[in-house]
Amino acid sequence: MSDPTANAAPGGSRPADLQARAARLDATDELAKLRDRFQLPDGVVYLDGNSLGALPTGVAQRLAEVVTREWGTSLIGSWSDGTWWTAPERIGDKLSPLIGAAPGQTVVGDSTSVNLFKALVGAARLAGPGRTRMLVDAATFPTDGYIAGSAARMTGLTVVPTDPADIPAALGEDTAVVLLNHADYRTGRLHDLPALTRAAHAVGAITVWDLCHSAGALPVGLDAHAVDLAVGCTYKYLNGGPGAPAYLYIAARHQQAFDSPLPGWNGHADPFAMTPDYAPAAGATRGRVGTPDILSMLALESALDAWDGVSIEAVRAKSLALTDFFLECVAAYVPEGAVESVTPAEHAHRASQVSLRTENAREVMAELISRGVVGDFRAPDVLRFGFTPLYVGFADAERAARTLGHIFG
């Protein structure tokens, strides 16, 4: 394998040209200063924020305060002083602008899988009797498929795996629920949330969208596009940290009728009454189940401070510019035929990652990581690079592509 610091790139292009362009782009990037809001190791190009986001600078101090003062000194009093008990709704409102939701519709807590189970069973119950099918993205993240199967068994529906492009033709009056990923986790393909939601509504079906690979990287517009229910994690582009709680969005128009299959005491209208009968709380609060994970919950709240003053539209513009530039650098540096992009070239169909197919992908990614370029591998043959515009720059994109070129050179 060649020295990644060599001056000549495979194919004849000179790194200095692309390096100079990267420097100019970084110098004029309005979001470049946001990198200072994160702690990143020196010398590392981090392109795996679509798996685990970087650490925002204020989180460690906030966690120390929670542990030493709120837990250590205030003890149980911290539940009732307005900080802990209201965190799921408060933090839900804080992240709502990033998914295009008005306040009062998003509650934070549990994992994506648990929230998806609530959403799918709740969606089936909202759809009502006489419907028999649940259409599920055929290439969905495996856990989504497992949860969909369980939710379907519970509600008497049949799961029908369907390519998102075929959803409009597959819909019918017997369709109860449509579960779709906004962005494909392997390829980075972005699916048409507005059009697919409209198509589902045209036959009376309820939509559930998984936003794990889009929220925080691009505008989602849940309210604007009349999405019914949505779930997502917060440890990827939202940088909430490992094991950060997920969220559940319940459109305001469905909240009164939303019947959660997990009616925990935190979702009760009067949780401290401790009555034997369950009465759901008003609003999205009925999506709560048990005691929230306070340490990770408040770490997420602090992490979201990194978004102060940031426009999600500006993030999307930089994401597209970064991925365009990376693909251009790959074409210049990597020998022809060594890799194949499986990420759509069209902006309308591209999320915030680039996936490249190649032989020996696992070994190639391991070598990239050893050289300070951190992406990830997806079986059987995909190199996956996530671009988080809050802390990834154009010089990072150029170095990653150049290093990849030298591995193949």
Side-chain angles (χ1 to χ4, degrees), residues 136-148:
V136 176
D137 185 341
T140 191
F141 190 77
T143 293
D144 286 22
Y146 308 154
I147 296 293

Side-chain angles (χ1 to χ4, degrees), residues 109-333:
D110 304 313
S111 67
T112 305
S113 298
V114 171
N115 283 324
L116 182 61
F117 180 73
K118 299 178 211 171
L120 288 174
V121 174
R125 292 171 176 174
L126 286 170
R131 295 177 180 264
T132 59
R133 295 189 303 152
M134 178 187 295
L135 304 187
V136 176
D137 185 341
T140 191
F141 190 77
T143 293
D144 286 22
Y146 308 154
I147 296 293
S150 177
R153 290 191 297 274
M154 175 178 283
T155 56
L157 301 180
T158 299
V159 169
V160 182
T162 310
D163 188 298
D166 298 331
I167 288 288
L171 288 164
E173 297 298 325
D174 61 346
T175 306
V177 182
V178 180
L179 168 62
L180 290 163
N181 298 90
H182 195 194
D184 187 290
Y185 78 100
R186 290 187 185 90
T187 67
R189 174 175 287 277
L190 185 67
H191 298 305
D192 192 340
L193 181 148
L196 291 172
T197 300
R198 286 195 301 271
H201 288 172
V203 298
I206 302 294
T207 57
V208 179
W209 284 91
D210 183 329
L211 308 178
C212 285
H213 288 87
S214 60
L218 52 92
V220 177
L222 295 182
D223 286 353
H225 303 303
V227 167
D228 301 299
L229 302 162
V231 301
C233 64
T234 62
Y235 52 79
K236 300 182 191 295
Y237 295 111
L238 297 177
N239 309 297
Y247 55 89
L248 169 65
Y249 164 89
I250 308 171
R253 65 186 181 280
H254 291 309
Q255 289 176 1
Q256 186 171 356
F258 183 79
D259 181 9
S260 173
L262 297 173
W265 78 290
N266 266 229
H268 196 285
D270 189 2
F272 292 98
M274 305 297 178
T275 60
D277 297 323
Y278 182 74
T285 299
R286 67 181 55 201
R288 292 176 62 164
V289 184
T291 305
D293 299 321
I294 288 300
L295 297 183
S296 58
M297 183 83 66
L298 298 184
L300 168 62
E301 184 172 32
S302 176
L304 291 172
D305 289 344
W307 288 90
D308 287 352
V310 179
S311 158
I312 193 66
E313 289 76 19
V315 169
R316 175 58 168 165
K318 181 177 176 180
S319 165
L320 293 172
L322 277 169
T323 50
D324 278 345
F325 185 65
F326 178 68
L327 287 167
E328 180 183 349
C329 291
V330 168
Y333 291 159

Side-chain angles (χ1 to χ4, degrees), residues 29 31-40 44-56 235-239 318 322 386-394 396:
D29 172 23
L31 301 183
K33 62 182 180 294
L34 299 178
R35 188 183 181 100
D36 292 340
R37 298 184 182 183
F38 297 87
Q39 293 180 217
L40 290 158
V44 171
V45 174
Y46 190 61
L47 302 181
D48 206 8
N50 53 330
S51 287
L52 177 65
L55 172 64
Y235 52 79
K236 300 182 191 295
Y237 295 111
L238 297 177
N239 309 297
K318 181 177 176 180
L322 277 169
F387 289 84
T388 306
L390 297 190
Y391 54 78
V392 173
F394 292 90
D396 295 324

